Amino acid sequence: MMKYILVTGGVISGIGKGIIASSVGTILKSCGLHVTAIKIDPYINIDAGTFSPYEHGEVFVLDDGGEVDLDLGNYERFLDIRLTKDNNLTTGKIYQSVINKERRGDYLGKTVQVVPHITDAIQEWVVKQATVPVDDDGVEPQVCVIELGGTVGDIESMPFIEAFRQFQFKVKRENFCNIHVSLIPQPSATGEQKTKPTQNSVRELRGLGLSPDLVICVQDVSSIYRVPLLLEDQGVVSYLSRRLNMPIETRPRKMLTKWKEMSDRSDRLLEHCSIALVGKYTKFSDSYASVIKALEHSALAISHKLEVKYIDSAYLEPSTLQEEPVKYHEAWQKLCSADGILVPGGFGVRGTEGKIHAINWARKQKKPFLGVCLGMQLAVCEFARNMLGWKDANSTEFDPESKHPVVIDMPEHNPGQMGGTMRLGKRRTIFKTNTSVLRKLYGDAEYVEERHRHRFEVNPELKSHFEEKGFRFVGQDVEGERMEVIELDDHPYFIGVQYHPEFTSRPIKPSPPYLGLLLAAAGKLQSYLQKGCRLSPRDTYSDRSGSSTPDSEISELKLPSISSE
């Protein structure tokens, strides 16, 4: 029987339900079980695709092109699984499916109501999605962790709570349990912890018909990799194995050693490496959650402590020098003092000229640079303006009248609708040369499959002008029409990718473009490439430690093999 673990949150939103749900999944997976995860978002949007990053943080993209909540990114990274768009359930999706059924006449003239029709649809969705394999071995999951977004008591999450109230009786008590994550405030005046808000939250949940089996409060820790270890120390595995009657091997400790190694290492790092993140949503770090994680994974792999310098790209523009000179000089000081420069994806014209100034600095000063999606497109614009002499070179997204449209609209784009009209999901990129640095970082692969999310791309007709000047399009799509990877000759590390490599970065398998950026910023890239892309022994995880995943996958998870120095 499938085991369901529902994670709810109380007192405040953003309490850390996603990390708790991921961590519970991780320790169960480390016991040899196959685990899947579902995130429920009670908002009425069909998906997260049209959100501003300031609303809910970044939009995470899945293999199938699903634009989903960033918590699914946590599940994928912690559990090393591949989810689909149906693992993110929203009120909009449920109502849409029920209304479509009603229009088709499936309810035979009945009055369609929240109970039973909406609540039944929620339960059917969960049961169906829980059985979809998410591991590479294609085995059906045994445990499904469900995170209910928002806070208990919200009007919009009521139908979901009612659905799970019914669900616990349908699947029987030994197959369903509820973990409640709550806040224990500690007023500075008294210094003692107060449990009253949690008591009220639990009472409200009980009033709605769900009784939490476990109320979790985890103190703030130095690294999120410590959370699974903390839960395991508190006996969560043995409790769940009794409560859900699960045949668990009681040896997660050995399997979690890699997590312990990671968190110990992140606490012990001495060498620093700073990366300037030049974007337009820098006031809210969740806007670039996966980018930051990919940088952290790479920094950890080379034993450096990461310092991210957030720079609002608009502050780098000459107009800021007139209006707010202090912000202008502070932004440039941060940029110039960083070891590497990263320009991530984004939409809209604001701040693009500032990004182009940052790219120009990275190119001229030979600073390690990585441009992702829009960052790659702007690198093309910068090179066209300053090296090809096309002063008005631009993307048609920002200047439709440009005489040199180096970045153009794509055929898939449907201008009428905003949602789901981009080139989305996993696509293949083929390397056109054997000498590419990025190809070497990918382990000399002939092609890579990475996730995309963009509307515009490099104009293929102008390709030859760039290549004559040493600006190479080393990766292209299968048809050879779309430019996917750029590299610049005579530069320590100047790379742009049209895809988003951060979405597939894992703690123990860092994303190659980000790893290259960190290696170059730390001055280690050349020796890494000369050693055949191997890390030194102190930079790899021990082979004795097992892994945080079932045995069958351990072999795939090891970092590049250890070489003797």
Side-chain angles (χ1 to χ4, degrees):
M1 279 294 289
M2 174 70 68
K3 308 291 181 184
Y4 300 92
I5 299 172
L6 175 68
V7 180
T8 53
V11 188
I12 59 168
S13 60
I15 183 87
K17 297 184 295 295
I19 300 295
I20 295 289
S22 304
S23 300
V24 168
T26 301
I27 52 181
L28 291 176
K29 186 162 182 175
S30 72
C31 297
L33 296 168
H34 283 80
V35 183
T36 185
I38 294 176
K39 170 76 196 286
I40 293 176
D41 284 303
Y43 47 66
I44 296 173
N45 304 55
I46 301 290
D47 62 24
T50 53
F51 281 140
S52 151
Y54 283 137
E55 286 281 317
H56 286 266
E58 74 168 6
V59 177
F60 191 80
V61 179
L62 302 171
D63 279 350
D64 65 357
E67 296 173 286
V68 295
D69 187 85
L70 58 80
D71 274 319
L72 275 83
N74 281 327
Y75 303 156
E76 287 206 341
R77 284 186 285 268
F78 269 78
L79 297 166
D80 197 28
I81 54 179
R82 300 240 166 175
L83 299 171
T84 64
K85 59 177 178 281
D86 287 344
N87 287 81
N88 191 194
L89 178 53
T90 69
T91 297
K93 281 184 185 173
I94 285 291
Y95 273 83
Q96 190 179 48
S97 72
V98 169
I99 289 167
N100 288 343
K101 277 184 173 177
E102 185 273 331
R103 292 286 85 184
R104 284 201 310 266
D106 291 7
Y107 296 116
L108 303 172
K110 288 265 193 318
T111 306
V112 181
Q113 294 174 293
V114 174
V115 181
H117 300 103
I118 296 291
T119 51
D120 283 354
I122 292 165
Q123 293 170 63
E124 285 159 18
W125 191 298
V126 167
V127 168
K128 179 164 156 252
Q129 198 55 34
T131 59
V132 175
V134 290
D135 284 301
D136 294 339
D137 58 13
V139 175
E140 191 174 300
Q142 298 152 286
V143 180
C144 178
V145 181
I146 305 154
E147 179 194 342
L148 178 56
T151 312
V152 169
D154 293 348
I155 287 180
E156 51 195 19
S157 62
M158 288 298 180
F160 293 100
I161 293 201
E162 171 58 23
F164 286 111
R165 184 195 69 75
Q166 299 170 17
F167 191 63
Q168 64 188 343
F169 303 117
K170 268 189 197 162
V171 297
K172 305 287 186 292
R173 179 179 158 77
E174 65 273 13
N175 298 318
F176 179 90
C177 84
N178 175 206
I179 295 176
H180 192 59
V181 187
S182 183
L183 177 75
I184 302 279
Q186 192 168 359
S188 52
T190 60
E192 69 176 309
Q193 296 181 339
K194 295 294 186 186
T195 59
K196 191 57 71 185
T198 300
Q199 292 173 37
N200 290 338
S201 177
V202 169
R203 187 171 66 236
E204 180 152 23
L205 191 56
R206 283 182 167 158
L208 297 168
L210 278 177
S211 261
D213 297 280
L214 213 56
V215 177
I216 290 189
C217 298
V218 176
Q219 75 266 25
D220 289 349
V221 285
S222 55
S223 141
I224 59 168
Y225 305 131
R226 290 214 173 276
V227 180
L229 305 169
L230 206 62
L231 295 181
E232 211 263 320
D233 285 344
Q234 292 177 13
V236 168
V237 172
S238 53
Y239 173 78
L240 289 174
S241 72
R242 286 196 315 275
R243 170 69 182 75
L244 292 174
N245 200 6
M246 283 193 284
I248 287 183
E249 314 156 24
T250 51
R251 57 180 191 98
R253 283 184 186 285
K254 173 181 174 288
M255 304 291 274
L256 281 173
T257 309
K258 262 205 173 108
W259 286 86
K260 186 162 181 4
E261 276 188 41
M262 264 193 306
S263 40
D264 286 350
R265 180 193 286 189
S266 69
D267 290 347
R268 278 199 310 262
L269 300 175
L270 298 173
E271 294 176 277
H272 284 253
C273 186
S274 61
I275 300 292
L277 193 153
V278 184
K280 61 189 270 197
Y281 308 114
T282 49
K283 293 182 182 68
F284 183 44
S285 62
D286 267 2
S287 306
Y288 299 111
S290 294
V291 171
I292 304 298
K293 290 283 183 286
L295 290 170
E296 285 173 357
H297 301 162
S298 300
L300 204 53
I302 63 165
S303 295
H304 276 60
K305 201 167 195 67
L306 173 71
E307 182 196 351
V308 178
K309 299 184 174 199
Y310 293 96
I311 301 173
D312 187 327
S313 54
Y315 293 162
L316 298 170
E317 295 173 3
S319 58
T320 307
L321 179 56
Q322 310 301 321
E323 295 156 16
E324 298 180 88
V326 175
K327 285 185 173 168
Y328 176 84
H329 290 297
E330 280 175 354
W332 274 101
Q333 195 275 328
K334 275 189 197 170
L335 185 76
C336 299
S337 60
D339 300 318
I341 295 170
L342 169 66
V343 178
F347 295 90
V349 71
R350 183 176 71 77
T352 49
E353 291 302 316
K355 290 175 186 175
I356 288 174
H357 283 296
I359 294 164
N360 177 269
W361 163 264
R363 182 174 62 77
K364 285 184 171 167
Q365 301 295 324
K366 300 212 180 301
K367 279 271 185 197
F369 164 79
L370 174 63
V372 174
C373 197
L374 178 64
M376 171 215 178
Q377 296 172 3
L378 293 176
V380 173
C381 294
E382 188 279 327
F383 195 84
R385 289 180 189 182
N386 299 312
M387 295 301 288
L388 303 181
W390 301 344
K391 291 302 171 199
D392 75 330
N394 213 330
S395 163
T396 55
E397 181 180 6
F398 313 127
D399 178 10
E401 306 302 314
S402 168
K403 298 273 189 299
H404 295 96
V406 291
V407 176
I408 53 169
D409 208 339
M410 293 177 357
E412 271 138 295
H413 175 35
N414 164 10
Q417 271 202 313
M418 281 289 267
T421 53
M422 288 182 272
R423 183 164 183 250
L424 288 163
K426 187 167 79 172
R427 307 289 172 106
R428 183 169 290 191
T429 294
I430 295 169
F431 287 111
K432 297 290 182 187
T433 158
N434 294 336
T435 54
S436 154
V437 172
L438 197 56
R439 177 173 179 160
K440 289 174 186 160
L441 288 166
Y442 273 106
D444 201 33
E446 289 179 17
Y447 63 85
V448 294
E449 293 191 323
E450 295 274 16
R451 299 171 181 180
H452 292 69
R453 182 179 187 243
H454 62 111
R455 284 202 176 92
F456 292 79
E457 65 189 309
V458 176
N459 187 344
E461 290 173 13
L462 304 175
K463 184 174 111 184
S464 56
H465 298 280
F466 289 91
E467 302 216 314
E468 285 163 12
K469 291 279 178 81
F471 188 96
R472 315 217 170 270
F473 297 99
V474 298
Q476 296 169 21
D477 74 340
V478 181
E479 286 81 31
E481 292 170 1
R482 295 183 157 94
M483 305 301 117
E484 294 277 2
V485 182
I486 58 161
E487 286 183 19
L488 185 61
D489 292 353
D490 305 322
H491 192 289
Y493 191 81
F494 190 97
I495 284 184
V497 289
Q498 181 58 74
Y499 50 80
H500 287 269
E502 64 269 19
F503 291 144
T504 49
S505 184
R506 300 285 182 265
I508 305 171
K509 263 192 302 197
S511 164
Y514 286 91
L515 183 63
L517 177 67
L518 264 291
L519 283 162
K524 293 184 171 186
L525 181 62
Q526 288 315 311
S527 67
Y528 179 77
L529 293 172
Q530 281 157 11
K531 285 183 199 159
C533 292
R534 292 160 186 262
L535 291 166
S536 62
R538 72 191 186 94
D539 288 341
T540 47
Y541 298 104
S542 71
D543 286 345
R544 295 187 308 278
S545 64
S547 155
S548 58
T549 52
D551 293 354
S552 60
E553 288 153 52
I554 288 177
S555 57
E556 294 164 30
L557 264 181
K558 287 176 188 146
L559 267 180
S561 54
I562 297 173
S563 67
S564 54
E565 283 196 315

